[in-house]
Amino acid sequence: MRRDLWQELCSYDNLILAFNKAKKHKTTKDYVAEFGKNLRNNLLLLHSELLLYSYSPRPLKTFIVRDPKTRKISKSDFRDRVVHHALCNIIEPIFEKLFICDSYANRLGKGSLKALQRFDHFKRKVSKNNTRACYVLKADIKHYFQTVDHSVLLEIIGNKIKDGRVNWLIKTILRNYGHKIWGRDGIGMPLGNFTSQFFANVYLDQLDQFVKHELKAKFYIRYVDDFVILHGDYKILEKYREEINDYLTKNLKIELHPDKTKIIRLDKGVNLLGYREFYYHKLLRKSNKRKFERNFIVRMNQFEKKEISREDFIGSLQGWLGYAMWANTYKLKNGLIKQISKQ
């Protein structure tokens, strides 16, 4: 029997599930508590608005983050985040079946650690256990989230999702983007939105399929708009770079970043997901290390002034230590532990 995607999307059970996902790790936020006070009524209102095609997203809240790179983050109202999850609950499983194995961002069971482990596996195969040269095409798409073309994205989605009502909702969500964030209609998606993460994978799945099935590149890994291809022949990677850029400009209306797309010998070190990768070891990128050291000093001062508890101070470091443990940082971690023990 043919599924009615729209009825599934609008169902109260799906909206409850969407609410629970949207509030994850945010249960202490005032806006979550406010929405939850009249949860049934709020969800029934969304249910009615969707069924009557009267749903309209509220304006995005935009702010600047510097960590250290300056980024414009735009957040949707919480009720709109519930709708985003409701949409993705229904259509994400359909697209997930199409995605390649080596796309690692914003997917269940994937993530940056799995991408790094895959890179380690690929570098051993290409270099034949470090007995021959290994080159890496390290590529970045120029201003990716600012330049995603809505008409291209909608065509890609429409090729798989034939329900016009679902596509109406996607268009409604996208119309809340573009001009209001980047100053251009029909272009761009906001950083910091759940749908942006999903749409980013849908859009660049076209690139993944091209690289795997047209170029037949075996050793390819993508994480959002960053990707690498490993090969033993520098000239083949040059050819890949040219063909990929041609494909992106002609088919997806985006392009490789000319300054951030390079072919590098593995033994010179390749920047990947916050680490500098070599054959036998990996180091933390200097910019990430400096950022942590700045944050560490701030948190240490807060602790010494009794502005935060020891537990909060230790807790704020655990995530970073978990990240640093995958690099060769024994001396750095030991030094930190000694400093903390003195407090």
Side-chain angles (χ1 to χ4, degrees):
M1 190 173 76
R2 188 176 177 182
R3 291 176 63 187
D4 189 330
L5 297 182
W6 184 243
Q7 289 297 326
E8 290 181 34
L9 192 157
C10 298
S11 72
Y12 187 81
D13 285 348
N14 186 45
L15 290 173
I16 279 283
L17 177 61
F19 166 74
N20 287 328
K21 288 184 176 181
K23 75 173 184 177
K24 195 173 181 182
H25 306 306
K26 297 178 178 67
T27 51
T28 59
K29 299 290 185 182
D30 291 342
Y31 55 78
V32 175
E34 188 65 29
F35 192 91
K37 277 182 189 175
N38 297 297
L39 180 60
R40 181 172 177 79
N41 288 340
N42 285 329
L43 294 183
L44 286 174
L45 180 59
L46 277 178
H47 172 76
S48 298
E49 288 179 6
L50 289 168
L51 288 177
L52 295 171
Y53 309 110
S54 62
Y55 167 74
S56 180
R58 292 174 181 170
L60 296 160
K61 292 183 179 178
T62 299
F63 53 94
I64 302 298
V65 172
R66 294 178 177 86
D67 63 343
K69 185 168 72 173
T70 300
R71 296 180 298 156
K72 185 189 285 187
I73 306 294
S74 298
K75 291 175 65 175
S76 293
D77 188 87
F78 183 72
R79 76 190 297 271
D80 296 322
R81 287 183 240 171
V82 173
V83 173
H84 297 171
H85 279 277
L87 169 67
C88 291
N89 285 346
I90 301 305
I91 68 171
E92 189 171 15
I94 295 170
F95 284 95
E96 179 63 30
K97 296 173 186 176
L98 307 175
F99 293 158
I100 67 166
C101 172
D102 288 314
S103 164
Y104 285 90
N106 308 307
R107 294 176 66 194
L108 193 64
K110 301 288 184 178
S112 56
L113 176 57
K114 290 287 178 69
L116 292 165
Q117 291 172 335
R118 187 67 160 167
F119 184 87
D120 288 342
H121 173 68
F122 282 171
K123 74 186 180 187
R124 288 192 292 271
K125 293 201 75 170
V126 174
S127 70
K128 298 193 182 299
N129 288 327
N130 208 24
T131 61
R132 54 171 278 185
C134 176
Y135 298 94
V136 182
L137 169 58
K138 173 70 172 65
D140 179 279
I141 295 171
K142 185 178 179 181
H143 305 316
Y144 175 54
F145 281 88
Q146 297 179 33
T147 54
V148 166
D149 188 287
H150 294 180
S151 61
V152 174
L153 175 60
L154 288 167
E155 183 180 354
I156 293 167
I157 293 172
N159 288 335
K160 194 64 184 174
I161 304 297
K162 303 300 183 182
D163 191 317
R165 299 165 296 180
V166 176
N167 289 324
W168 165 81
L169 177 59
I170 294 168
K171 288 176 188 176
T172 301
I173 292 169
L174 288 174
R175 274 199 301 269
N176 204 39
Y177 299 166
H179 181 81
K180 297 176 184 178
I181 304 168
W182 308 115
R184 291 177 292 171
D185 290 319
I187 301 289
M189 300 189 301
L191 291 168
N193 267 252
F194 181 68
T195 45
S196 296
Q197 299 168 12
F198 171 64
F199 291 152
N201 274 339
V202 171
Y203 204 81
L204 286 182
D205 178 62
Q206 306 299 297
L207 168 64
D208 299 341
Q209 302 298 335
F210 174 74
V211 171
K212 296 299 291 184
H213 301 300
E214 298 296 324
L215 298 184
K216 300 192 184 301
K218 290 182 180 179
F219 305 107
Y220 167 79
I221 297 168
R222 181 175 63 79
Y223 193 94
V224 195
D225 58 330
D226 291 330
F227 65 88
V228 293
I229 305 177
L230 294 81
H231 205 284
D233 191 321
Y234 185 96
K235 290 183 178 178
I236 287 177
L237 290 180
E238 280 189 321
K239 181 171 175 286
Y240 284 168
R241 176 170 57 186
E242 184 178 332
E243 292 189 25
I244 286 170
N245 202 45
D246 285 346
Y247 176 82
L248 292 175
T249 54
K250 290 174 184 175
N251 295 276
L252 298 180
K253 299 183 182 179
I254 53 179
E255 62 181 328
L256 295 179
H257 198 299
D259 301 325
K260 297 181 181 179
T261 300
K262 300 175 182 178
I263 300 171
I264 308 157
R265 270 183 65 121
L266 179 61
D267 58 8
K268 301 296 182 184
V270 177
N271 289 333
L272 183 65
L273 299 175
Y275 300 91
R276 192 161 175 79
E277 291 274 355
F278 297 86
Y279 183 80
Y280 287 110
H281 66 288
K282 60 171 64 72
L283 304 174
L284 294 179
R285 288 183 64 181
K286 289 181 181 178
S287 60
N288 287 5
K289 186 178 172 184
R290 285 194 295 268
K291 176 187 169 184
F292 165 74
E293 287 169 346
R294 287 195 301 269
N295 290 340
F296 178 76
I297 291 168
V298 169
R299 299 298 277 175
M300 178 72 82
N301 288 336
Q302 289 174 331
F303 173 58
E304 289 174 347
K305 292 176 183 176
K306 302 190 185 307
E307 294 174 2
I308 58 172
S309 68
R310 182 182 177 84
E311 290 73 23
D312 287 340
F313 174 56
I314 300 292
S316 68
L317 302 178
Q318 286 179 336
W320 186 86
L321 289 170
Y323 154 76
M325 69 179 285
W326 300 104
N328 298 80
T329 53
Y330 178 79
K331 289 183 180 178
L332 177 62
K333 287 183 289 186
N334 253 21
L336 285 174
I337 291 167
K338 286 178 182 177
Q339 274 187 271
I340 294 166
S341 298
K342 291 176 184 175
Q343 298 303 313

